[in-house]
Each structure stands twice: as structure tokens, then as C-alpha cells.
Amino acid sequence: MGNIISCQFKWSQKNPSELVKCVENYDLLQNLLSVLEKICNNYPEEAKTVFKKSIKWRTINIKPNSFLNNENYIINKETIKSNLLVYSAKLQKNGSPLFTLENDISSNISIENPTYLARACTLEQINSILAIADDKKLIELQNMIKENKDFYSYVTGVSGNNQINDIWDTNSSNMNDDEDTKKRFKLLLVLNACDNNMLRNLLETNVKNETITMNKIESELLMIQSFCGKEDYYALESIEWESDYKFGNGCRATPWRQIYNELGYIKCLPKDKEKIVITACINGFFINKGYTTNEKGGENIDYESKSSVYPSLISLLKEYSPHFNDKIQNQEYVYVNKINQQREEEIKEIVPPPKSGSIINLVNVAEEKKKESESVQSISQFKPEQKKKITTKKIKGKSKSRSKKLDINSKWRNLNTKNIDIGNKSKEITRTRPKKKVTTNSDKSLKELQRKTSSNLSEWTSDSESELSSEEEIQEGRQEPYELPPEYWQIQKLVKYLRCGNPTATVIAICSLRDFDLLNETNQLAIRDVGGLDTLVNLLDTEDSKCKIGALKILQLISQNIQIRNAIADLDGMKTLVDLLGDSNEELKCLAAETIANCAKNSRNRAAVRHYKGIRKLVRLLKVTPGSKEERVAICGAMALSSLSKSEKNKIAIQNAGAIPLLANLLESKNEQLLIPVVEILKECASSESYRLAIQNSGIIKFLVENLSSESEELQTNCASAIFKCAEDEEAREFVRLHGGLAPLVNLLNKKDNKELLVAATGAIWKCSQNLENVKEFNKLNTIRKLVELLENQPEDVLINVAGALGACAQTVDGRESIRCSGGITPLVNLLTGTNQALLVNVTTAVGACALDSESMSVIDKLDGVRLLWSLLKSPNYHVQASAAWAICPCIEHAKDAGEMVRSFVGGLELIVSLLKSEHVQVLASVCASIANIAKDEENLAVITDHGVVPMLAKLTNTKNDKLRRHLAEAIARCCRWGNNKVAFGSAGAVAPLVKYLKSPDEQVHKSTAHALHQLSMDANNCITMHENGVVQLLLGMVGSSDPALQEAAAGTIGNIRRLALASEKAAMA
């Protein structure tokens, strides 16, 4: 491992402490992970050996929360006294832990992504920590390597590459007495053996990858041609390609010989031997049996070998021709100088530059890119716009470096050659022939392959991948094979027979194609690369039903490939497929619909189907009786519509075509193959409000509930997802309960292995629990306990739904008690340290609801939950800010010593006052509610007054949002109880707008406004302002309210105004 880290990894030249992001490093990391696991499994005692010195590294992925419920590690609760956060339960002989996790004091501390310092001193602990890192284990291993380059020095305490000898020389005398040194020596032997094995494997891989390519052959042949001529001082008489024709993939061998890895054939006439024909293949060069005469007198090449295989053309010629060998050894041959433009053009015609679209050349470029260390490209983050095209210019540039690699014999370098002006003899030396132009029908597909080959290497990135809007933007993760299989060429040959025009030959070719595995990606692309897609689509316009059916069966299979779907979109293949939907042949309609279902995963194909009126035709296919023989047509139509429903415009078109009643009719079927796509359509379309209303009116929810108990998990998932979206409406929630859907949803929580089903089920429970009657039913079904069990070791999508459901259930007293008794408070508070915005919104809501229970509030306070909520007020997401502020309100209200708790948060009061500058009404309303609770404590009220809360609240009084009005008025009422705040509010112009609040239809606004006006009316100037704005008439009607608090506040305000008026009258009379 030490030699691998120090020697084999590629380090950045700009920053030597950083690893280059490349495929070689990625492979080495994977190998190191595997080796580490094997050592821990096969050598457990050595894996437990304590290093001489602990390795340390910085991390942001291993957090204290990662060690929850792990009995091998202890989380330090006294973090105030020490930076130590986590330590291992196992200790060294000196009492120190084998692993520690501390706060990294040297780094900039970030609340959202804090940096930690990890230390480990055994391979067992390193392996354990990497296992805890889970999907981030490669990043963690990379961090370890970057900060611990000389790994052996940490294990043994001895630096350098000869640790085994150094340790033996130093400690051989007391090796038997010192047990620790003996163990480290054994560990070093194990590591050294692993190093040797890894290096041996790397060497074998590099040797195996050294194959001959067309570019290498072209370069070597061009160089040898420069030393050919009639005179004796030339090394050869002539050497050239046997055929001038070059196939689309760059090879000169015929396709039926390419399957034997042969690339081309070279004719050579030595000075001292007879003419020979040389076969060039990916393994090297050999002499074949040359030309043979057939019965008709024609000449054919006998491809059978009659010599050994040589690694280069030069080595073969040296072995075959003594004259050639002597000239090379004595360096007495002539080098033909390219002295004029005509000669340069002739050479270009003989050896043209490699075509950018040819398949094998591109694969070779990718292969050699990987081999050349100087041109290793950094692997960028997975983004489709970063695909780079390999241009012809780049390939030409590479050919220069390749030609240098072909200098196999050192005698070819720095030659003392004679430059001879051959003048008109150039045609003898280089036999130039007219260049044949080879055209193919797959130029576009070859360009796509060119783009793909440049980016076909596996991605190595620590960042998460973002979602893409359309499929054609997704980068294919397919690794282009270095050697194309024989089936590739056989398929291309068969595709040519499809174009012959003979129906019988076409059908035979189609049947032969179907004998291949068309789900294999290489076979699929073989059809595309030779232009077979265009031919197959054209066959759909013929009158021969057998040809159409055969072509559709092939298209239906190969269209499961992303690239094939993109190519069909380029050919506008949807028009022909849509036309076939109206055919009287049932099999044709089914195959066309199935092909559309695959192709419609591409956004351009979805738009094309809508443009050619295909949606209405597909909806017509749904007009069948459930249980009849025509169900297959409906299944295919539903599959196509489910793919098309990914588009918002298509959803509208599907509804306008009258699909809802037909879908409701099909739900009566017992055929799960039909029900799955039908429910998937409903699931996709239920995001629209008009669809949800139509689903409710059609009685579809009843069928969705019934199929929640199906044996098919896919059908259950689709039904639960559809309910999840439909339950946005209160009426739908009622329907789910009335049809008995709550119990089946709760039962689905037991299927924890199916994450997709779990997301759908928890989402449906979340939305249904927003109805209080449903919450009562859920409590009877012991749902909360099952939800609490899902708060750990689940994907974020599940956690979002579970937290939302718990937040809704916590609105009732029984729900809050169940959450507390089930131990749900602790995992909820732990989730407050996450970064997912949607999850934080739901978690803060749930914690805030639980805080209404005094016992739950004490648990939240012990877990430092209020501080975590307060820290979320700094979030850049205003939804998180608002949700955190709402959660803080009940925490302050039910905390034992709320005033002291709030003051203990450094800068907390200033932070919450500053949020009054927010532009979002949700944030302003929640912050006003929090301030109203904070102001109950006199000291806190004094502090926020100093932070300028009065003018900020006054600026907000012109709002027309009733929710904000209610909490703003309450905050003003609370703040009036300190000093001259009543006067300050009046001076800031807050009184007159408050009077208008009394005209709101919301009684809660009336109550809080009357309370605020009562406090403000204790100032004479405020009473005058109120009276001028007609407050008395508005308050008189509220004096008779059934709410005692509103009565008292209204009467108190009127009383203050009246007393001021009487005092004014007395003053005037005096």
C-alpha cells in the first residue's frame, strides 16, 4: 500500500498535495479498498496491530451523527470542555482510543459543513470508518492518502522505501522480546505482499492493453515507404497497402476478416526476396500465404499464416529480408526528403488522416489517451454540457506522438542519411492511386459515437449529481469496448441485405437479426452505426405486413437504448409509428404503441407524438372491455400514454382526449399488466388540480385503495404515489379514509427493502394525516411507532415524508404523546443538522408541534434542539427560515426558563430582529410570532428594543396579508410594554394602518389588533390618531363579541379614548 500511494498515484503538478481526478487514480482507490477489506478478513490479528504513529486526515463527511447506535464508538457529550467528539470503545495499551474525531480548530468553522479531524492507528479502524462513510468511502480514502503519503512511516516509524531491512537491522536483537515491534513487522510483510500483487496486476494490465491500432500501422508504413526505391542502396523495392479501399471504421480488411481481429494487408517487395503479403492485426504482423489462383483464374489472398507474429512491421522485415536488416544496421539506406508540395499531397493521399467518425480509430484514441500520462484528462463533474468533442485536429496532433512511439529500433534515431532529390522519380518511389471516396449512411450516428467516445470514461466526483430535464442530455455511462465483438460485424452485414428491395430477402434478414441478442448495447449500436435505423423506419412505410411487423419487433427492442431513441428522434420516426396506430392489424398497433412507449422517454419524441395527433389515437386504444381479448391493445396503449404523460402539455392533451373515464373503466380489470400502466398515468397526471378533481368525480380513488393490497409491489407503488398526489385535496383525504385506505397504507410501511414503495407509502400517509379524523385512525393503527422507526438509515425522500407525517400527527395531544413514547424526539432533533431544505422544513414543523407538549419540550431542550432551530434562521432558504421561526414559538412558550434560554444564544435576538427585513411574507409572519413570544420576558424585550424592533415592525403595518397582520399586531402589543415604545410606534406611523386591520374578515386579526390598539391607546397622541381614523365605530361592534379577550381590549381602547376626550373638555372649560 505504501509504494502504491507514493509511486503509482498521479499527483497534481500545481498542487503536489492534491490527487489528479483521473481513471487511473479511481481504479487504484477501488483496488486499495478491496485490499484493505481482504487484509481485515484474512489477517485479523495484523489488522488490529497498532501503528507507531496515528494517521490523521480532515473530513466533512464523517460526522458525530454517523456514529449513532454504533456500540463500537462513543459520542462525547462533554464537548464544551474538550474538542473530542467521538472516540472508539477499543483502547491502546496506554489507554488512548484507537480512533478519535475532533473539531478541526485550524479550519474555518462552517455551521452547515463543519470540518473534523480524524485519527486512526489500526487498519481495522480505517476499514470500519470507511464502512461508516458508505457511499463517500472513496472520498474518505482519498483524503487519507493526500495527508499521509508516506504510509509506511506511520506504521513502522521508519521513513523511506526499505523499511523491512531497516526494521530488521534495528530491532533483530530484541524482536522476540518486543511484541509490538514483532506485530508491526508482520503487518509490514503483509502490506508489502499486497503492494507486490497490486503492482504485478497493474503491469499485466498495461501489457495487455498494448494493442496495434490503424494509426500506428499507417505511421510505421509511411515511415518505411520513405526508404523504398529501385536502386540497390534503398532498403526495400516497394511496400504499400494491398487495397486502397478503407471501410467506415478505418480498417482495410474485409468485414468477414475483421472478426478475426485483422486490420489490413500490406504488399512488400524486398530487394533480396520474393514478394510477400503481410497481415496486420491487433496482436501484431505476420506473413500470410499470399495470392492463390481460383478456378476462374482470379487471384485471392490465402489468409492462413506461414510465419510467427511480430510486434512491429520493422521487426518482421528485418527477420525476413537480410538486405533490409543490413541496411538498417549499417545505416546505408536513403531517406527520401519531401521537398515539394506535390510530394506532400501524394503522401496524404496514400495515408489520409484518420476519420473522426470511424469507430475503431475513436476507440484507439480513447485507449491511448488513457495510456499517455502526459495527456490524462481530469474527470469533470457529471454534467451533460461538459461533453467534449474529439476533433480531427486533435487526432492529428496525437498521431505525431504515436509516430514517435513507433521508433522501436534505436538505429532509426539520429540517422546520418543522404538527402537525394528524386525529382520526377517520385512516382516510382510512391505509387499514387486515385483516392476513392467512401460514403456511409451513418454520418450523424458516427458523430454521436465520436462525442460519446470522448466522454465514455467513468465519472469520479464527490458531488452529488443534479437532475436533468430531458433524456437526451444524460451522459451515457457505457464504456466503449476496445475490441468489437464478431456479432457487431455480422449485424452490419445483415443490415445491408435489408436494403436489397427483395421482400423475401428482407424478411430473412429481419429474422436473422432477431436471432441476435438485441437487448445487448453493442448489437443495438451496430444497427445504428451502419444506418440500419433509417432502413427499419422506412420499412414501416411498405405494404408488406410481414416486413412492418419484423421491423417493429426490432425497433421495439433496440429503442430501449437512450442513443437509439435520440437517433429515432433525429429521423422523425414518430410520424410513421403514429400512422400505424390506426392500422386494422392488431399486432401492428400493439408493436407500434410499445415502440412509442420506449421512444417517448425522450422529450423530442414526446412532442412529436403530440404534434402528429398520436395521443388521441392512443386514447382510442383504451376503449376495450376489461377482461376481454382486446386487453393487450389497451396494455400497449396505456404503456405509451404513461411515457407520454411526463410532459405537461401531453397531460392536457390526454385529458382533452377523454382518457379519464376510459382509465376508470380499465381499473375494474384484474390484469396487473394493464393496471400498472393505467395507474402510472394517473400518478403522473395527478399533479394537476384539474386531474385531481376529475379523479375524485370518477370514483377512481376507490380502485386505487383496493389495489394497495395487490401482490404486485410495482402496482402498490403506483397506487400509493397516485394517492400521495391526490391527497393534496381535503376531499380526497376523506375518500381514502371512507374507502378503508389508511390500513393498507400503514401495512406498506413493513416493506422496508423496497425504497420506492416506501417513499410512495410514507408520502400518502403524510398527506392523509393532514386530516384530523385520519390522524385518529392512524393512532389506532399504531402508525406513529412505525414512522419513528423509519427516521434512521433511510433515504432523504423517505425521511421528508416521515417527518411531514409526524408533524401532522403531532397536531393532536395523542399524536404528540405517541411520538414521545416511541422515542421519536431524539431522531427528529438529530435531523435538524441536515442540509436537505425540504427535510428541514418538515422536521422543524414536527419539532415545533412536539414542543407543545411540556415533557417533549424538556427532551428537546436537553438535546439542544432550540439552539439548532435558532441556527436554521441563518439558512438561505426562506421556507426553512419561516418553518424554524414557527417552531421556535412553542419552544419559547413551553420552556421552563424561556427568557434565560433565549438570552443564552449569542447574537440570537439580533438575528431574529434582522429577519424583519425579509421580503417573504411567510418569514415575516413567523418572525413576528416569535417576537411576540420573546417579548413576554422584560429583559429580552429591552434587548430587541435596542436592536431597533419598533421601527422595523412599524414599517410592516401597511401589509394586506391577514396572517402577517395578526402576528404583527400581537408583536406590537407585546413590545408596547417597554419604556416609550408606545410613543415610538405612534411616531413611526404604525397606529393609522392598525385601525384598518379591524375591517378584516378574520376574527383572529380583530383580537390581536384590539390588543395592540389597547396598549397604544395609553398614549394621548395615539388616541387622537385612532379617533381621527374612525376606530371608535369599529370597536363598538366588537364590544359585544363572544370572545372575552376581544371584548376587554375593545372596551379598554374606547375607555382610554373617552377619558382623553373628557380630560380635553375639562381643560377647555377651565
Side-chain angles (χ1 to χ4, degrees), residues 135-196:
D135 56 339
K136 303 289 185 182
K137 61 173 64 176
L138 280 181
I139 300 172
E140 285 306 306
L141 184 58
Q142 179 187 352
N143 292 337
M144 293 181 195
I145 289 169
K146 287 195 297 186
E147 298 191 37
N148 304 277
K149 282 188 179 181
D150 191 1
F151 183 77
Y152 280 163
S153 66
Y154 292 91
V155 177
T156 63
V158 179
S159 301
N161 296 322
N162 200 23
Q163 291 96 333
I164 295 178
N165 292 334
D166 291 344
I167 291 177
W168 182 259
D169 295 338
T170 306
N171 303 286
S172 58
S173 59
N174 62 343
M175 183 74 73
N176 294 328
D177 299 329
D178 190 349
E179 191 66 23
D180 291 339
T181 304
K182 186 176 180 180
K183 288 181 178 179
R184 290 191 195 104
F185 189 79
K186 288 182 179 180
L187 175 59
L188 188 59
L189 291 175
V190 172
L191 293 176
N192 188 61
C194 294
D195 257 340
N196 292 336

Side-chain angles (χ1 to χ4, degrees), residues 39-40 42-50 183 186-187:
I39 291 175
C40 293
N42 299 335
Y43 303 95
E45 291 300 321
E46 284 75 12
K48 295 176 183 177
T49 300
V50 180
K183 288 181 178 179
K186 288 182 179 180
L187 175 59

Side-chain angles (χ1 to χ4, degrees), residues 896-931:
K896 289 183 179 180
D897 191 1
E900 183 63 32
M901 179 187 70
V902 172
R903 285 192 295 277
S904 68
F905 303 139
V906 179
L909 292 174
E910 183 180 3
L911 170 63
I912 202 162
V913 171
S914 67
L915 288 177
L916 290 173
K917 300 176 183 178
S918 175
E919 298 177 353
H920 303 284
V921 175
Q922 301 97 313
V923 177
L924 294 173
S926 60
V927 170
C928 286
S930 299
I931 289 174

Side-chain angles (χ1 to χ4, degrees), residues 381-443:
Q381 184 181 356
F382 179 75
K383 292 183 179 179
E385 61 268 18
Q386 289 179 348
K387 287 186 177 182
K388 297 180 180 178
K389 298 183 179 180
I390 299 176
T391 60
T392 307
K393 184 176 180 180
K394 287 183 181 180
I395 297 176
K396 288 179 180 178
K398 288 287 180 185
S399 65
K400 295 179 181 179
S401 62
R402 288 188 207 113
S403 63
K404 291 180 181 179
K405 287 181 70 176
L406 288 170
D407 279 346
I408 298 167
N409 195 315
S410 60
K411 301 261 184 190
W412 288 86
R413 301 189 187 97
N414 302 322
L415 300 175
N416 183 19
T417 57
K418 303 174 183 178
N419 293 333
I420 297 178
D421 185 358
I422 57 175
N424 297 327
K425 294 183 180 180
S426 60
K427 289 187 180 180
E428 294 180 8
I429 296 173
T430 309
R431 299 177 183 176
T432 307
R433 297 180 183 177
K435 183 179 177 182
K436 295 183 180 179
K437 185 177 181 181
V438 182
T439 60
T440 65
N441 295 327
S442 57
D443 292 336

Side-chain angles (χ1 to χ4, degrees), residues 995 998-999 1013 1026-1040 1050 1053-1054 1057:
V995 174
L998 297 176
K999 297 178 182 179
L1013 291 173
M1026 292 179 199
H1027 189 270
E1028 289 174 350
N1029 286 275
V1031 75
V1032 175
Q1033 193 67 30
L1034 295 170
L1035 288 174
L1036 282 173
M1038 297 178 187
V1039 173
T1053 306
I1054 294 173
I1057 295 172

Side-chain angles (χ1 to χ4, degrees), residues 84 142 251 259 279 489 500 506 829 870 980 1011 1052:
L84 185 63
Q142 179 187 352
C251 297
I259 64 176
T279 298
W489 311 111
C500 65
T506 302
V829 172
W870 217 285
N980 292 323
H1011 188 198

Side-chain angles (χ1 to χ4, degrees), residues 68-269:
L68 291 174
N69 301 326
N70 193 326
E71 60 184 8
N72 295 324
Y73 297 92
I74 300 171
I75 299 177
N76 186 17
K77 296 182 180 179
E78 298 179 359
T79 55
I80 298 176
K81 300 179 181 179
S82 170
N83 287 324
L84 185 63
L85 301 175
V86 181
Y87 57 94
S88 62
K90 295 181 180 180
L91 305 177
Q92 302 181 40
K93 289 182 179 181
N94 60 6
S96 302
L98 296 175
F99 170 81
T100 60
L101 186 71
E102 307 169 3
N103 281 319
D104 186 16
I105 303 174
S106 62
S107 300
N108 293 327
I109 299 175
S110 171
I111 294 176
E112 294 184 356
N113 291 310
T115 304
Y116 302 98
L117 186 64
R119 301 175 191 268
C121 58
T122 67
L123 289 181
E124 183 184 50
Q125 288 297 320
I126 294 173
N127 189 47
S128 177
I129 295 304
L130 292 177
I132 291 172
D134 198 14
D135 56 339
K136 303 289 185 182
K137 61 173 64 176
L138 280 181
I139 300 172
E140 285 306 306
L141 184 58
Q142 179 187 352
N143 292 337
M144 293 181 195
I145 289 169
K146 287 195 297 186
E147 298 191 37
N148 304 277
K149 282 188 179 181
D150 191 1
F151 183 77
Y152 280 163
S153 66
Y154 292 91
V155 177
T156 63
V158 179
S159 301
N161 296 322
N162 200 23
Q163 291 96 333
I164 295 178
N165 292 334
D166 291 344
I167 291 177
W168 182 259
D169 295 338
T170 306
N171 303 286
S172 58
S173 59
N174 62 343
M175 183 74 73
N176 294 328
D177 299 329
D178 190 349
E179 191 66 23
D180 291 339
T181 304
K182 186 176 180 180
K183 288 181 178 179
R184 290 191 195 104
F185 189 79
K186 288 182 179 180
L187 175 59
L188 188 59
L189 291 175
V190 172
L191 293 176
N192 188 61
C194 294
D195 257 340
N196 292 336
N197 287 335
M198 290 181 68
L199 291 171
R200 190 182 300 110
N201 291 336
L202 286 172
L203 180 61
E204 290 175 358
T205 302
N206 291 336
V207 171
K208 190 182 297 182
N209 288 337
E210 288 292 340
T211 57
I212 305 298
T213 66
M214 281 300 296
N215 289 332
K216 292 179 181 178
I217 301 170
E218 299 270 11
S219 301
E220 189 176 12
L221 182 62
L222 177 61
M223 181 178 61
I224 296 173
Q225 284 177 336
S226 301
F227 304 97
C228 297
K230 299 271 186 196
E231 289 77 6
D232 290 338
Y233 47 76
Y234 285 102
L236 290 173
E237 187 82 15
S238 66
I239 187 169
E240 60 183 348
W241 287 107
E242 192 274 335
S243 172
D244 290 333
Y245 185 83
K246 184 184 290 188
F247 289 89
N249 59 8
C251 297
R252 294 178 184 267
T254 54
W256 51 90
R257 295 303 303 177
Q258 289 182 29
I259 64 176
Y260 297 105
N261 296 329
E262 294 180 2
L263 304 177
Y265 309 99
I266 301 169
K267 295 188 297 184
C268 178
L269 180 58

